[in-house]
Amino acid sequence: MTQPITVPLLDLKAQYATIRDEVRAAVDEILESQMCILGPTVANCEAKLAEYCHCPHAIGVSSGSDALLISLMAEGVGPGDEVITTPYTFFATAGAIARLGAKPVFVDVDPQTYNIDPAQIESKITQNTKVLLPVHLYGQCADMDPIVAVADQHGIPVIEDAAQAIGSEYKGRRAGTMGRYGCFSFFPSKNLGAAGDGGLVTTCDDAVAEKLRILHAHGSKPKYYHAMIGGNFRFDAIQAAIVAVKLQYLDQWTAGRQANAERYRRLFGEAGLVDEKLVRLPLETPGYRHIYNQFVIRVPRRDELRAYLKEQKIGNEVYYPISLHMQKCFDYLGHKEGDFPESEAAARETIALPIYPELSDEQAAWVVEAIRRFLTQ
Ligand SMILES: Cc1ncc(COP(=O)(O)O)c(C=O)c1O
């Protein structure tokens, strides 16, 4: 292959082209009805999402960030409390904790999966630990059995940050059903993305579901009576209508991502690049359903590779370039470089490649060929 091809990191226009009529009809229905806040469309979308997530309750909210916030609020998290989480995640995970005045307590990640290392959790539990907040990064679940076991042993609830992991499974259980709460995001780049912001909280607990429903509309029940302080965390009806349309295609799109991951594994193998010193491919843990929100490889000279791929018009991204303990806003936590070595190494060496369902054979081959040229030149 000699002809250069442009490969975006994600091609949402290609996806939209396949569902345009259905999406427009669904949006039109909302506009004609003018039932833009909650109502039957949101309820219908929530029911479908609950079924998809294998969970009795699914409460639509305004974003994945708010899903985390409202779940922490429902647990009464506030000043003086500690919440254990990973430093290698999107900012919102720790941001939600800090916004409530609680302290994010970080635990380093596993170097293969980049998910929280369960073996290091117990030593971080104190009498102030209020919640364990693992993240299912890139679409693969954290190792939940030991996480839930340590949480149960100490009587601490688990909130799963499943923002990147809708439909992901751990030993036959869906993301969002293993902790007391599952928090999802419909940010457009997610496997199930809205046309704007949106999110979801799942729970198997009836009382928790009731509390979340009250909190997500200012803590009001009955209307205008407030026994609790909540917020405006409602799921927008237009977004719910779009998410409900797209949900019908989610498994098909996820299968496309999984097939692309397989194809990358084959192509990297054929190119002779699968070597600790060249390219480390993402680990797909046996018994898990990885939904490949991202396909993240690990390479030396990552920043140079990024620049090269950019020059070749090949989309890529670094999730995430700075481990959260090194973020300026968390200076007050008193961390220093070296505190979470695996997280720091991941921040230095990982890069996400295009994995979206519409990626063609030719595009995937071109991505691998460009990486081969860079690494062997
Ligand atoms: C791991 C993780 N947590 C939380 C969020 C926040 O979701 P949102 O962007 O919908 O607020 C995201 C998404 O960007 C995420 O990837």
Side-chain angles (χ1 to χ4, degrees):
M1 198 189 307
T2 49
Q3 203 62 11
I5 313 169
T6 298
V7 190
L9 180 64
L10 178 65
D11 190 352
L12 288 174
K13 283 187 183 173
Q15 184 191 74
Y16 180 60
T18 66
I19 52 171
R20 178 184 288 116
D21 292 346
E22 271 182 286
V23 168
R24 286 190 169 185
V27 170
D28 224 30
E29 211 176 292
I30 297 286
L31 294 176
E32 289 300 334
S33 73
Q34 282 300 306
M35 293 189 61
C36 301
I37 301 291
L38 298 178
T41 306
V42 173
N44 169 54
C45 182
E46 288 176 335
K48 287 183 170 150
L49 287 164
E51 192 186 346
Y52 187 81
C53 293
H54 300 175
C55 200
H57 304 284
I59 295 100
V61 291
S62 31
S63 67
S65 303
D66 286 345
L68 291 165
L69 191 64
I70 196 174
S71 301
L72 291 163
M73 285 170 75
E75 285 304 317
V77 170
D81 294 331
E82 296 174 2
V83 176
I84 294 179
T85 193
T86 153
Y88 193 61
T89 174
F90 180 58
F91 180 77
T93 315
I97 300 164
R99 281 176 68 185
L100 292 171
K103 179 181 175 188
V105 173
F106 297 121
V107 166
D108 209 357
V109 294
D110 176 284
Q112 298 288 335
T113 63
Y114 312 114
N115 278 322
I116 195 166
D117 178 359
Q120 297 187 46
I121 293 177
E122 186 140 35
S123 65
K124 297 288 179 81
I125 294 178
T126 72
Q127 59 187 20
N128 297 324
T129 307
K130 199 77 187 251
V131 167
L132 291 193
L133 208 176
V135 179
H136 305 317
L137 202 69
Y138 304 144
Q140 178 161 251
C141 286
D143 186 5
M144 290 303 287
D145 278 347
I147 294 172
V148 171
V150 75
D152 285 351
Q153 206 181 315
H154 292 268
I156 301 165
V158 173
I159 297 177
E160 296 170 58
D161 183 339
Q164 303 181 5
I166 192 157
S168 173
E169 286 178 11
Y170 173 83
K171 302 182 183 176
R173 284 169 284 159
R174 285 242 149 144
T177 61
M178 294 169 277
R180 190 175 289 171
Y181 307 77
C183 300
F184 296 87
S185 164
F186 302 128
F187 186 79
S189 66
K190 300 297 191 267
N191 288 30
L192 180 62
D197 281 308
L200 186 79
V201 186
T202 52
T203 182
C204 300
D205 183 313
D206 297 351
V208 169
E210 167 75 2
K211 193 168 188 184
L212 289 167
R213 289 213 176 274
I214 297 171
L215 283 172
H216 97 318
H218 290 292
S220 148
K221 192 183 180 193
K223 204 172 177 187
Y224 303 126
Y225 290 80
H226 302 260
M228 289 182 253
I229 299 171
N232 178 358
F233 299 126
R234 291 181 300 249
F235 191 20
D236 187 278
I238 289 184
Q239 299 306 337
I242 295 170
V243 166
V245 168
K246 293 177 82 171
L247 181 59
Q248 305 170 91
Y249 302 96
L250 180 57
D251 280 336
Q252 178 188 318
W253 292 333
T254 294
R257 288 171 179 271
Q258 290 165 334
N260 290 340
E262 272 314 298
R263 182 169 52 192
Y264 272 137
R265 288 183 197 283
R266 178 176 52 77
L267 290 168
F268 276 111
E270 285 168 5
L273 297 176
V274 185
D275 179 314
E276 284 288 291
K277 293 194 198 68
L278 296 169
V279 175
R280 202 198 291 175
L281 296 175
L283 176 76
E284 187 175 321
T285 315
Y288 290 32
R289 181 182 191 233
H290 195 326
I291 61 144
Y292 288 102
N293 180 239
Q294 301 297 342
F295 188 87
V296 175
I297 63 167
R298 195 156 170 164
V299 285
R301 296 160 58 214
R302 190 271 317 275
D303 291 338
E304 284 171 64
L305 174 63
R306 268 208 93 180
Y308 180 73
L309 292 178
K310 191 169 172 216
E311 203 181 285
Q312 301 292 309
K313 300 195 169 33
I314 292 174
N316 63 83
E317 188 53 274
V318 171
Y319 304 107
Y320 299 91
I322 307 177
S323 180
L324 292 184
H325 70 286
M326 298 302 291
Q327 292 286 358
K328 181 104 194 82
C329 67
F330 289 137
D331 276 357
Y332 70 93
L333 293 173
H335 291 301
K336 57 180 186 326
E337 207 173 331
D339 282 359
F340 302 99
E342 295 302 346
S343 178
E344 290 167 28
R348 262 193 320 269
E349 297 172 3
T350 59
I351 181 167
L353 303 179
I355 187 77
Y356 59 91
E358 299 80 11
L359 188 77
S360 69
D361 276 342
E362 207 184 13
Q363 286 174 312
W366 187 246
V367 172
V368 176
E369 170 56 18
I371 295 173
R372 190 197 62 75
R373 275 199 310 274
F374 172 80
L375 290 172
T376 56
Q377 72 199 354

